[in-house]
Amino acid sequence: MACTAWRTTAVPGFLLLLATGSEVSAGYVGDRFFPSTLATTVPTPADFYNPPYFVKLPDTAATHETDIPTTYSRLVTKDWAVFFTETFRILDVANKGRLSGFDNLVIGTQYQLYTSPEHQFVFTVGGTAAIGGTGSPGIAASFSTLTPTVYIGKGFGDLPDSLAWLRPLTVSGTVAVAVPTASTSFVAIDSRHADAGAFTNLMTMPSGATTLSETINPNILQVGFALEYSLVTNHYTGPNRTGTRYAEGWVPLVEFTTATPLNGPLAGRTTGTVNPGVIWVGRYLQFAVEAIVPINGRSGRDIGGRAQAHLYLSEIFPDTIGKPIFGK
């Protein structure tokens, strides 16, 4: 039997998804409500549940991908949350046909380290761990990926009257580095259906049809930024601004995400997306839709989209799963 070994020069598409499909929470900082964004992560831990929703990523030359993620987040204290994300993935891959199954389970955490309510500013630390081997073969990686992350958010309600038109602005951002636990991984493929022109460092061994693909798994710098114009108003469950406060209204926004390998053959070659959309915020839930627009040819060749429902468990179940495990 023959075996051929080759080293790919392409970053796997799922690594781009790490930067563009993050899960998020929502909450108040002072008088500013930070809604749940879709492509980036806001720095406000909360009790929430995202039912399975739809993400159609931009096509690449080799893949057509649709994801169906779901997330559950639980407050441990009022400032600290843990969350769990499971994603069902449908891939149409050139020369392989359709693959489907669950990606690796993602466990994440956020700790709200500092807030300034009067300036509507928040700083949070945390990150995620995609647990290798917990997903479906052919879909999920055999190795884990750890992604320490810092999050910031700022509302501009503290601006003077001369700049009142800018007060609805909200910005949030994330900076993270995705670190795989394996620097390379190997996949056995059928060389009779492989595109030899796509291979580099091709080494021919005794004749046969088996091919081992060695893929470099680089560390990846992930940067996300969201710009929102908040048209929500604050309401109260009791008269004269008493009872529980909640937000209601529309939030137009645009999000930006980038992913830059820090090592390997594609080091320094940035991919990313621009994600314009709109969020409707209510007392118990919010709905949001966004387009996914690649920033360059390496990021995709058409426009994708996502639509999400986000349930505020603190409002739906305030006395049980909607309150912190410890403390009020």
Side-chain angles (χ1 to χ4, degrees), residues 5-9 183-187 201 212-216:
W6 61 277
R7 179 182 299 271
T8 183
T9 59
S183 59
T184 61
S185 55
F186 293 87
V187 178
N201 298 335
L212 284 179
S213 164
E214 182 186 14
T215 300
I216 296 175

Side-chain angles (χ1 to χ4, degrees), residues 23-325:
E23 298 299 333
V24 293
S25 54
Y28 276 100
V29 178
D31 288 331
R32 179 53 48 100
F33 183 77
F34 285 80
S36 169
T37 46
L38 286 79
T40 60
T41 305
V42 294
T44 49
D47 287 305
F48 71 89
Y49 175 62
N50 289 342
Y53 63 97
F54 172 85
V55 180
K56 168 61 180 71
L57 293 179
D59 289 346
T60 70
T63 62
H64 176 94
E65 180 172 344
T66 301
D67 292 340
I68 305 174
T70 186
T71 295
Y72 172 66
S73 176
R74 189 75 167 95
L75 280 173
V76 181
T77 69
K78 67 181 181 64
D79 296 319
W80 175 31
V82 295
F83 58 88
F84 307 88
T85 297
E86 189 68 272
T87 301
F88 187 80
R89 181 157 294 153
I90 303 169
L91 289 170
D92 291 306
V93 183
N95 301 318
K96 288 187 178 181
R98 173 160 291 188
L99 303 173
S100 63
F102 285 96
D103 201 356
N104 287 329
L105 174 68
V106 175
I107 301 173
T109 187
Q110 286 183 300
Y111 182 75
Q112 195 164 297
L113 193 63
Y114 173 78
T115 59
S116 175
E118 62 273 21
H119 295 296
Q120 302 175 354
F121 175 80
V122 57
F123 177 81
T124 298
V125 295
T128 61
I131 310 302
T134 57
S136 304
I139 294 291
S142 59
F143 56 89
S144 299
T145 299
L146 308 177
T147 310
T149 309
V150 296
Y151 316 81
I152 61 170
K154 177 71 172 76
F156 289 90
D158 56 350
L159 289 176
D161 290 342
S162 60
L163 296 173
W165 64 278
L166 288 176
R167 287 175 179 166
L169 283 179
T170 304
V171 297
S172 61
T174 63
V175 178
V177 177
V179 181
T181 57
S183 59
T184 61
S185 55
F186 293 87
V187 178
I189 64 174
D190 187 344
S191 61
R192 292 170 297 182
H193 302 289
D195 180 6
F199 303 158
T200 60
N201 298 335
L202 190 65
M203 181 173 61
T204 303
M205 300 179 70
S207 64
T210 301
T211 298
L212 284 179
S213 164
E214 182 186 14
T215 300
I216 296 175
N217 307 314
N219 298 336
I220 296 184
L221 174 65
Q222 302 175 352
V223 178
F225 173 74
L227 179 64
E228 308 164 27
Y229 198 80
S230 179
L231 301 177
V232 303
T233 55
N234 293 326
H235 300 266
Y236 295 83
T237 56
N240 301 318
R241 297 173 64 90
T242 60
T244 301
R245 177 177 58 170
Y246 63 93
E248 189 173 278
W250 294 94
V251 182
L253 78 162
V254 59
E255 301 183 79
F256 306 86
T257 66
T258 64
T260 305
L262 301 178
N263 59 290
L266 294 183
R269 299 186 184 182
T270 297
T271 57
T273 60
V274 178
N275 308 267
V278 65
I279 302 170
W280 180 84
V281 176
R283 178 180 175 185
Y284 298 105
L285 76 166
Q286 68 170 61
F287 294 102
V289 293
E290 279 187 347
I292 306 175
V293 183
I295 64 171
N296 54 31
R298 293 189 298 272
S299 305
R301 60 185 185 184
D302 66 352
I303 297 175
R306 53 169 65 88
Q308 181 196 79
H310 181 94
L311 308 183
Y312 304 136
L313 299 183
S314 59
E315 292 293 330
I316 300 173
F317 304 106
D319 299 320
T320 54
I321 60 175
K323 67 177 182 179
I325 298 173

